[in-house]
Amino acid sequence: MRSTRPVVCALALSLGLVLSPITVQAALPLAVDGQALPSLAPIVAQASPGVVNISVSGKKVTRQAIPEPFRFFFGPNMPNEQVQERPFQALGSGVIVDADKGYVITNHHVIDEADDIMVTLKDGREFKAKLVGDDSQSDIALLQIDGKDLTAIPLANSDALQVGDFAIAIGNPFGLGQTVTSGIISALGRSGLNIENLENFIQTDAAINSGNSGGALLNLKGELIGINTAILGPNGGNIGIGFAIPANMVKNLMEQLVKYGEVRRAILGISGGELTSDLAKTFGYDKQKGAFVNQVMPGSAAEEAGIEAGDIIVSLDGNPVGSFGELRAKIATMGAGKQVKLGLIRDGKERTVTVTLKQADLTEAKASVLHSALDGATLTDSEPGSKPAGVLVKEVAENSPAAAAGLRKGDLILGVNRVRTENLDDLRKALKGKHKLLAINIKRDNSSLYLVLR
């Protein structure tokens, strides 16, 4: 690293001054006109003990199907797939949100597939963390450590944020150790970035880099306004466009993970899209902020609340809704059974409805979302009333891990490791966590068989 001392000396000579380091330090004013110079130091000192470094290690398992000609050439003992295990290590950040219970929030992608998770506090103490639960769609994970004298960061009301508010980011970029940067809130309700499945990001220009994931985004009260999760940059470096998951979403998800160990996804029961100026004018609305409702699903929470196709949803619990993506992310992370108030525009007039959210049913999914060994298969619930009930394999891509594992189109998955799976939700629960071996019970035509995956 280049020293700045020659620059200081050159400046002193050009001014005809003789300055010692002590003189320079003493010359810096502590106040101007009786007012103390602004500093973020008190906020950082208060909050930084609540930001932790996270290091993880594990083994990534990759499966590659062996083409049929090779299997034929080498004979019947040739395996259907090539399995490789590669050890990995990674670094990230986290935030202590409950000092008494030792809860730490971080990103799902920080701890994904990790066998060991270590949490290091600012004071140097290290703890092995337990994974309480995680949610890949919102990229949130909840850890727990067993420690005393922890410092938690209180959560702010992220719905009260405004563009232009000051923001402070604390994390562990590039494994350097705790680092503080500052900026402002550049935008709110960012979605459509294809970073995560559920997107309602706070955008900030506070410097965020690799390793900051899971770290804290704070307001000037030292409260948590978001969890830093992603950056937009051509080479993975900071260009002043970073994204954080809002604290209110984090709070909703954390409550579900603590209570159930998983996220109980909520659903409103509408399909729709973003509101354009032409669409808004057509339906008697003079603004371009909101979520347009194309269709209301029969029997859904939206139908029961009186929402109709053509409505424009403009607020959620009194807070403005900027886009359909923002509404979708907020609803999905609120938790099933929660009651919310939605502000609507119908025929140019405002009205408010109260909705009790229902739990989303997982009716079709890419199998890779459930387990990497099933990558390449599309799964769906069996027809209602069919016996036996199970998970139907709708499609299997050629030369995929699912094909190599022996799955075929039309197979009915009845259980995993002796756990009955009548639907996709059952299958997701059965596959959750680390398994040395998966014994998948399949009904194929009129026979029953097991596929054993290691």
Side-chain angles (χ1 to χ4, degrees):
M1 184 178 292
R2 182 177 299 173
S3 171
T4 58
R5 185 172 298 173
V7 179
V8 175
C9 294
L11 178 62
L13 290 172
S14 67
L15 296 175
L17 300 175
V18 178
L19 299 176
S20 68
I22 297 176
T23 306
V24 173
Q25 187 175 8
L28 293 176
L30 299 177
V32 176
D33 296 331
Q35 296 292 320
L37 291 177
S39 174
L40 300 177
I43 303 167
V44 173
Q46 169 191 320
S48 59
V51 182
V52 302
N53 294 346
I54 295 177
S55 59
V56 302
S57 61
K59 291 181 179 179
K60 285 188 180 294
V61 179
T62 58
R63 290 177 168 85
Q64 185 175 4
I66 298 174
E68 187 66 33
F70 286 95
R71 294 204 298 271
F72 176 79
F73 182 77
F74 286 101
N77 294 326
M78 183 73 175
N80 291 332
E81 62 177 352
Q82 183 181 18
V83 180
Q84 291 184 330
E85 288 188 352
R86 295 183 177 178
F88 75 92
Q89 293 181 324
L91 298 172
S93 307
V95 181
I96 301 173
V97 289
D98 188 319
D100 294 331
K101 296 180 179 178
Y103 287 140
V104 177
I105 282 285
T106 186
N107 286 137
H108 163 80
H109 76 258
V110 170
I111 55 85
D112 189 26
E113 297 188 38
D115 294 319
D116 294 300
I117 306 171
M118 296 299 298
V119 169
T120 305
L121 307 188
K122 186 185 178 185
D123 61 16
R125 286 183 290 166
E126 288 187 345
F127 300 93
K128 186 169 184 177
K130 178 183 77 172
L131 178 62
V132 177
D134 59 341
D135 180 45
S136 60
Q137 292 191 49
S138 58
D139 200 15
I140 281 294
L142 180 65
L143 310 177
Q144 189 173 30
I145 58 175
D146 184 12
K148 297 180 179 179
D149 299 323
L150 303 178
T151 299
I153 299 181
L155 274 65
N157 176 15
S158 56
D159 286 332
L161 292 174
Q162 299 182 66
V163 174
D165 285 348
F166 287 107
I168 305 167
I170 307 180
N172 178 32
F174 302 111
L176 291 171
Q178 196 171 94
T179 302
V180 181
T181 57
S182 67
I184 62 168
I185 302 300
S186 306
L188 296 167
R190 285 293 195 217
S191 61
L193 303 172
N194 297 318
I195 298 172
E196 303 300 343
N197 189 269
L198 299 173
E199 298 182 344
N200 174 35
F201 291 124
I202 301 167
Q203 182 182 325
T204 180
D205 66 348
I208 296 173
N209 288 287
S210 177
N212 271 105
S213 291
L217 191 67
L218 308 171
N219 60 18
L220 293 187
K221 294 180 181 179
E223 298 170 329
L224 186 73
I225 59 176
I227 294 293
N228 299 321
T229 189
I231 57 174
L232 189 63
N235 300 309
N238 172 63
I239 59 170
I241 303 177
F243 301 101
I245 301 168
N248 286 4
M249 279 182 59
V250 171
K251 181 181 178 182
N252 289 331
L253 292 164
M254 184 178 68
E255 289 174 351
Q256 295 172 64
L257 292 173
V258 168
K259 188 172 183 179
Y260 307 112
E262 63 179 7
V263 171
R264 302 286 176 91
R265 192 81 60 213
I267 190 170
L268 184 57
I270 63 171
S271 64
E274 306 304 342
L275 188 67
T276 65
S277 57
D278 291 338
L279 193 59
K281 289 177 184 177
T282 301
F283 285 85
Y285 189 47
D286 59 358
K287 298 179 182 178
Q288 200 177 326
K289 295 283 188 181
F292 182 74
V293 180
N294 287 336
Q295 182 183 6
V296 177
M297 307 305 172
S300 66
E303 184 186 58
E304 292 175 2
I307 297 174
E308 299 177 3
D311 285 348
I312 301 170
I313 300 176
V314 295
S315 68
L316 171 63
D317 286 336
N319 299 302
V321 170
S323 66
F324 192 88
E326 177 185 348
L327 175 68
R328 177 175 173 268
K330 285 185 173 181
I331 290 292
T333 54
M334 279 186 161
K338 185 162 285 190
Q339 195 174 79
V340 298
K341 290 186 177 181
L342 295 176
L344 309 175
I345 301 294
R346 183 182 299 166
D347 300 324
K349 297 180 180 179
E350 296 184 14
R351 62 181 65 200
T352 301
V353 297
T354 300
V355 185
T356 301
L357 301 176
K358 295 187 176 183
Q359 184 168 345
D361 294 323
L362 192 59
T363 57
E364 182 171 319
K366 296 292 184 183
S368 58
V369 175
L370 303 176
H371 198 283
S372 60
L374 303 179
D375 188 16
T378 301
L379 309 176
T380 184
D381 287 344
S382 58
E383 291 292 329
S386 63
K387 293 183 180 180
V391 176
L392 181 67
V393 180
K394 194 174 180 181
E395 297 287 344
V396 178
E398 292 184 10
N399 299 323
S400 66
L407 274 184
R408 296 182 187 175
K409 180 179 178 180
D411 284 351
L412 189 67
I413 301 175
L414 300 177
V416 176
N417 292 355
R418 300 171 61 191
V419 175
R420 187 76 175 88
T421 55
E422 295 189 352
N423 51 48
L424 276 169
D425 195 45
D426 288 345
L427 181 61
R428 176 179 57 81
K429 292 175 183 176
L431 292 173
K432 192 175 179 65
K434 295 279 184 179
H435 298 278
K436 292 183 178 180
L437 180 147
L438 292 177
I440 303 178
N441 184 205
I442 300 287
K443 181 178 181 293
R444 180 177 294 166
D445 298 327
N446 293 320
S447 62
S448 177
L449 61 117
Y450 275 91
L451 300 179
V452 179
L453 308 180
R454 297 182 184 276

